Amino acid sequence: MKFIIEDKVFETLDNLCVAVIIAKNINNTNKINDISILLKESISNAEKEFENTKVKESEYIKCYREAFQKLNINPNKFMCSIEALLTRISKKKGMPEINSIVDLVNAVSIKYKLPMGTHDLDSMNNQDFYIRYSVSDDIFLPFGETETEKVDENELVYAVSNDVRTRRWIWRQSEHGKIIESSSNIIFPIDAFIGINDDRAIKARDELAELLTKFFKCDIKTGIINSKNNYIEF
């Protein structure tokens, strides 16, 4: 299997990079109290940091809003995942605990103010995973829904074959490939930009990899993909 950024993507987002973790043989069935503590700490720190600051005006978020505009996605209507998460937290709405893997990723994502995805590898049936522009045959099953929807052509998406796993690049993930207690093989992409926040993405990747090893004793592979090296094989 490969995780690939389509070459055409770099025509619009030339400095896009994605830090990557592939983790295998995870046991996600147990609640881990230390992860709950990490999540609560990240939420508390973010609440304080954004108490008198609008999330959308933060330097952490501006680069994603600008990228959305380049992609003809209205960032006010479709907030990227990390902006939506931090906005919720800034309003003191907290963040529910879901399962240990999702909670851990949310804790690291909030700490570093970066969009971080989680996708079940087994659901991909050994097919390649892409960041690419959508085509007419693509479909999307919204998170929590049971009916699929068509996807507009030329929308930047995460996809496996014609199954869109995240619409509008880093806006909303699909029901397909979501992380549940039985998920054991997972890919974690962290979207960033060279020269803007790629250093934080690498730090977040390395910290998450270390925590995954600590809590789950799983097998880890890390990497980064960009215009010069647009895929990772695993």
Side-chain angles (χ1 to χ4, degrees):
M1 293 176 68
K2 293 179 181 177
F3 174 38
I4 306 165
I5 303 178
E6 183 180 56
D7 285 334
K8 185 181 176 183
V9 175
F10 298 109
E11 294 175 11
T12 303
L13 304 179
D14 61 322
N15 61 340
L16 175 65
C17 64
V18 181
V20 185
I21 303 169
I22 295 103
K24 295 185 176 182
N25 302 314
I26 290 171
N27 179 355
N28 192 33
T29 59
N30 300 316
K31 176 178 172 59
I32 299 174
N33 290 330
D34 284 351
I35 291 177
S36 297
I37 292 169
L38 288 174
L39 179 58
K40 288 172 183 174
E41 286 177 349
S42 288
I43 291 170
S44 177
N45 290 337
E47 283 180 351
K48 294 171 185 174
E49 184 168 356
F50 290 100
E51 192 167 14
N52 298 306
T53 303
K54 290 185 178 180
V55 171
K56 70 178 184 179
E57 296 175 358
S58 163
E59 290 300 319
Y60 299 114
I61 302 301
K62 281 184 179 179
C63 56
Y64 297 104
R65 293 179 65 86
E66 289 169 0
F68 268 39
Q69 290 171 335
K70 288 179 182 178
L71 295 165
N72 296 316
I73 301 170
N74 183 343
N76 294 316
K77 186 176 181 180
F78 305 104
M79 287 190 289
C80 73
S81 60
I82 186 58
E83 181 179 350
L85 185 54
L86 291 174
T87 299
R88 175 190 175 96
I89 290 168
S90 72
K91 294 177 180 179
K92 306 292 177 68
K93 293 183 178 180
M95 185 70 202
E97 294 185 24
I98 299 169
N99 59 60
S100 291
I101 285 291
V102 174
D103 295 345
L104 179 60
V105 172
N106 282 336
V108 178
S109 176
I110 294 164
K111 177 179 178 178
Y112 286 93
K113 290 87 177 172
L114 291 165
M116 297 174 64
T118 53
H119 301 269
D120 188 297
L121 287 173
D122 294 326
S123 71
M124 299 180 190
N125 298 315
N126 293 313
Q127 297 182 89
D128 291 337
F129 188 35
Y130 280 89
I131 300 176
R132 61 164 176 78
Y133 288 101
S134 59
V135 295
S136 59
D137 293 334
D138 285 344
I139 59 170
F140 177 73
L141 180 61
F143 196 86
E145 301 292 332
T146 57
E147 293 187 13
T148 59
E149 60 186 33
K150 293 286 288 182
V151 179
D152 296 335
E153 288 189 57
N154 296 315
E155 177 185 310
L156 191 60
V157 297
Y158 274 82
V160 180
S161 186
N162 289 113
D163 185 13
V164 170
R165 297 301 176 91
T166 305
R167 282 202 68 181
R168 296 182 177 89
W169 177 33
I170 49 173
W171 172 58
R172 180 175 293 173
Q173 284 194 207
S174 168
E175 180 73 13
H176 292 158
K178 73 178 183 180
I179 303 306
I180 57 178
E181 285 77 5
S182 61
S183 301
S184 61
N185 300 305
I186 302 171
I187 185 167
F188 305 85
I190 307 170
D191 300 77
F193 300 98
I194 296 169
I196 297 175
N197 59 355
D198 55 323
D199 54 341
R200 283 193 298 111
I202 291 169
K203 288 178 182 177
R205 179 200 66 188
D206 292 348
E207 181 168 331
L208 179 57
E210 182 179 335
L211 292 169
L212 286 166
T213 302
K214 174 184 175 181
F215 291 125
F216 300 97
K217 307 295 190 291
C218 51
D219 302 319
I220 295 286
K221 178 176 181 177
T222 64
I224 191 162
I225 55 178
N226 50 42
S227 61
K228 295 181 180 177
N229 178 32
N230 73 327
Y231 74 91
I232 184 170
E233 191 166 4
F234 53 95

